Amino acid sequence: MLEEVKITNTNQLEFAVFCIENIAIRLEKNAEEIYKMLTEESNILSGYIIPKYEILHTQSKDYIVDDIISLMRERGIKV
């Protein structure tokens, strides 16, 4: 499991918001629900999205959203 990492700059913050908003659109949920899934129901935001920012942000929107939704399912989050 990856170490939890805090957001340290605006690029990471903007990327986190981008991920949350686009997952919300894909799953037809509101962004607050997705944020809770990624932080309270799991540690995907601080344990995956932010630590993998340098790699993930170079990928396509669809790849990023598919990858994170797949991880959410693997971790038992009902999406």
Side-chain angles (χ1 to χ4, degrees), residues 4-43:
E4 288 194 15
V5 176
K6 294 195 182 296
I7 294 171
T8 59
N9 62 58
T10 56
N11 289 337
Q12 291 174 344
L13 178 60
E14 289 172 358
F15 182 69
V17 171
F18 167 86
C19 291
I20 292 164
E21 289 178 343
N22 283 286
I23 292 166
I25 290 166
R26 174 78 63 84
L27 298 178
E28 298 179 344
K29 297 184 181 288
N30 69 49
E32 185 177 351
E33 282 181 272
I34 300 302
Y35 177 76
K36 286 180 180 178
M37 289 177 184
L38 298 177
T39 59
E40 294 174 13
E41 295 180 34
S42 71
N43 72 331

